[in-house]
Amino acid sequence: MRIVLGVGGGIAAYKVASLLRLFTEAGHDVTVIPTEAATRFVGVATWEALSGHPVSNSVFDAVHTVNHVRLGHEAELIVVAPATADLLARAATGQADDLLLNTLLMAGDCPVLMAPAMHTEMWQHPATEANVETLRSRGVTVLEPASGRLTGADSGPGRLPEPEAIFTAAMALAGAAASAASAAMPAVKADMDTAPAAGPAAAQPAVPPLAGLTVTISAGGTREPLDPVRFLGNRSSGKQGVALAAAASAAGARVRLLAAHMEVPAPAGVELVQVETALELREAALHAAADSDVVIMAAAVADFRPADVAGTKIKKRDDVADPVINLVRNPDILRELVEVRDAASRNQLIVGFAAETGDAGGDVLDYARDKLRRKACDLLVVNQVGRDLVFGEDTNSVVILSRDGSEPQEASGSKSDVAAAVIDRISAELSRAVPPA
Ligand code: CTP
């Protein structure tokens, strides 16, 4: 694949040498375009040696090959790292004052991924937030920066994600763009059959299916404290929720991951909100849902919590009876999200998960249909659970039920395969809900 790697003028430019290595070792042909400021951190000779191509940022070099047009046209993927506040601003306003900005403007339907790095204040400044919003609304995938130590003594969100994480996100984006392009092929072909000149459909960019949308996903299992060292928890690993977050991100969405206890790390490029209890998850979910187009409740939420939480460790004592744990019911977050959405007449798709075992009173699908009625969400992803089934495993097998009563859809395979099927189904539901103009 032909990749253009734009490098911005930030200290993290040195890390991009490793990213370049990952791309070339995977067999990709990479042209590096550093900004003028980037060359103050890492010299042109380094980029030339590692990429095996001449490197320039001037539109006046290699003029006979019309570089600024050619690179944008030929690129199959453009990755910009570190995307500084200045670079994001220049890209958002469509400036074309150097070769990298020209290339971005000439990129047409090529997928573009930007990995920001800057100080927290700059990242959280309304000007930067507006620029990121603008770029995302145009289909550019702007990763969330990592959190941690920054250039000075400060720390917070603003670190460049690790090269491996950028590499994974870039490959996922290129894969999603390629499958979107091949899905669009028949329409383009039909157009070509009837119109000798390339019609408007042929010029349509391959916009990822969830580009411009915000998707909130809860994952993992809540922990309900009994005392400062003990809790009531469940077996959820968070793997399915994390796979959904990665799939939604690859489909171009801005993703918020509300993470209760998880055994796996969150994917790069998602906004991470960490929660512990069902009550904390409820607050985070209601807040995040206010500006989300899709909410997926994949977390295993404890239905009950201890009525009293001891302030100090509960000790066993011979002179008093063993303690009894009284439980109170937690709110049903999914049900509440649906109620709030309906009360606000919000255009939002809400997806629940159901873990069922089935018993003498009914099978898994009987219970799931009943749950779908009670929760009133749009889609319910149902899986059969048991001690050796699903929890912590890398594979899953689900049935997707819809409130409109359409045929149950089965999906199975790795948790990534299942996540991709769920995200595809969500994209299909959204495109049915909003017929094209
Ligand atoms: N859920 C929720 N709030 C709760 C319990 C569950 O939002 N207090 C959500 C889960 O995230 C999931 C769906 O509801 O999307 C179904 O979860 P499940 O545990 O299967 O259902 P319950 O409502 O707990 O029903 P039951 O325990 O009776 O099977």
Side-chain angles (χ1 to χ4, degrees):
M1 179 166 45
R2 277 185 300 268
I3 300 177
V4 166
L5 179 57
V7 186
I11 183 77
Y14 78 92
K15 287 193 186 172
V16 178
S18 308
L19 176 62
L20 171 55
R21 260 268 150 75
L22 291 172
F23 285 138
T24 54
E25 279 171 8
H28 301 295
D29 180 29
V30 187
T31 300
V32 182
I33 311 181
T35 62
E36 160 106 48
T39 59
R40 296 183 180 216
F41 293 96
V42 179
V44 165
T46 303
W47 301 123
E48 288 189 336
L50 291 178
S51 69
H53 287 297
V55 167
S56 158
N57 187 36
S58 168
V59 286
F60 299 108
D61 286 341
V63 177
H64 63 289
T65 65
V66 204
N67 241 355
H68 70 291
V69 173
R70 185 181 59 82
L71 289 169
H73 278 177
E74 290 181 357
E76 291 160 282
L77 172 69
I78 299 181
V79 176
V80 179
T84 58
D86 175 66
L87 199 43
L88 290 171
R90 291 196 292 141
T93 50
Q95 293 183 44
D97 48 1
D98 63 16
L99 185 59
L100 178 55
L101 272 297
N102 268 274
T103 303
L104 284 168
L105 283 182
M106 292 302 301
D109 60 357
C110 171
V112 178
L113 179 128
M114 294 191 163
M118 64 197 76
H119 290 282
T120 304
E121 292 81 352
M122 297 171 94
W123 173 247
Q124 291 175 346
H125 193 285
T128 306
E129 286 180 346
N131 291 330
V132 169
E133 201 61 52
T134 301
L135 290 165
R136 283 179 174 154
S137 71
R138 289 187 198 135
V140 173
T141 298
V142 182
L143 297 182
E144 289 295 310
S147 277
R149 181 85 195 272
L150 300 172
T151 316
D154 53 339
S155 66
R159 269 171 74 89
L160 186 72
E162 289 308 312
E164 292 75 15
I166 302 174
F167 176 78
T168 307
M171 292 300 111
L173 178 64
S179 50
S182 64
M185 284 292 266
V188 173
K189 185 172 179 308
D191 248 46
M192 286 163 66
D193 287 347
T194 50
Q204 283 298 313
V207 178
L210 298 184
L213 300 185
T214 300
V215 178
T216 292
I217 301 170
S218 71
T222 66
R223 288 178 160 186
E224 311 298 321
L226 270 167
D227 70 13
V229 293
R230 302 183 181 94
F231 57 83
L232 298 182
N234 59 63
R235 293 181 190 280
S236 175
S237 64
K239 284 181 183 171
Q240 188 62 75
V242 163
L244 283 163
S249 196
R254 169 188 186 188
V255 178
R256 275 199 210 106
L257 184 64
L258 313 180
H261 175 74
M262 305 199 308
E263 286 165 16
V264 287
V270 305
E271 297 171 34
L272 187 63
V273 179
Q274 235 128 13
V275 297
E276 176 94 7
T277 64
L279 292 180
E280 284 174 19
L281 178 57
R282 172 184 174 272
E283 201 178 315
L286 289 172
H287 181 71
D291 68 348
S292 294
D293 302 284
V294 178
V295 182
I296 307 175
M297 283 294 293
V301 186
D303 287 324
F304 303 97
R305 66 181 183 278
D308 303 300
V309 181
T312 54
K313 187 179 172 195
I314 302 168
K315 306 288 283 180
K316 56 182 177 304
R317 286 175 40 188
D318 291 336
D319 53 338
V320 272
D322 288 344
V324 172
I325 302 169
N326 289 312
L327 299 174
V328 288
R329 207 183 262 213
N330 273 326
D332 186 328
I333 305 168
L334 180 57
R335 176 82 204 126
E336 202 172 339
L337 286 167
V338 172
E339 282 165 7
V340 171
R341 187 240 354 231
D342 292 348
S345 305
R346 194 180 288 149
N347 197 6
Q348 182 178 69
L349 189 87
I350 302 183
V351 182
F353 267 68
E356 301 291 344
T357 58
D359 59 22
D363 73 6
V364 169
L365 279 189
D366 292 334
Y367 281 118
R369 288 202 178 91
D370 181 53
K371 190 165 287 180
L372 181 60
R373 261 191 302 279
R374 277 188 284 120
K375 307 257 182 184
C377 52
D378 303 294
L379 297 175
L380 191 70
V381 183
V382 188
N383 52 33
Q384 185 170 9
V385 291
R387 215 180 138 76
D388 301 323
L389 285 171
V390 181
F391 289 123
E393 294 294 314
D394 292 323
T395 54
N396 202 356
S397 175
V398 303
V399 176
I400 306 174
L401 298 181
S402 165
R403 193 149 65 111
D404 68 11
S406 53
E407 268 301 289
Q409 178 192 342
E410 290 181 22
S412 60
S414 68
K415 287 192 172 173
S416 302
D417 295 337
V418 169
V422 172
I423 295 299
D424 277 354
R425 176 65 186 266
I426 288 172
S427 308
E429 294 286 327
L430 291 173
S431 54
R432 264 197 313 135
V434 186

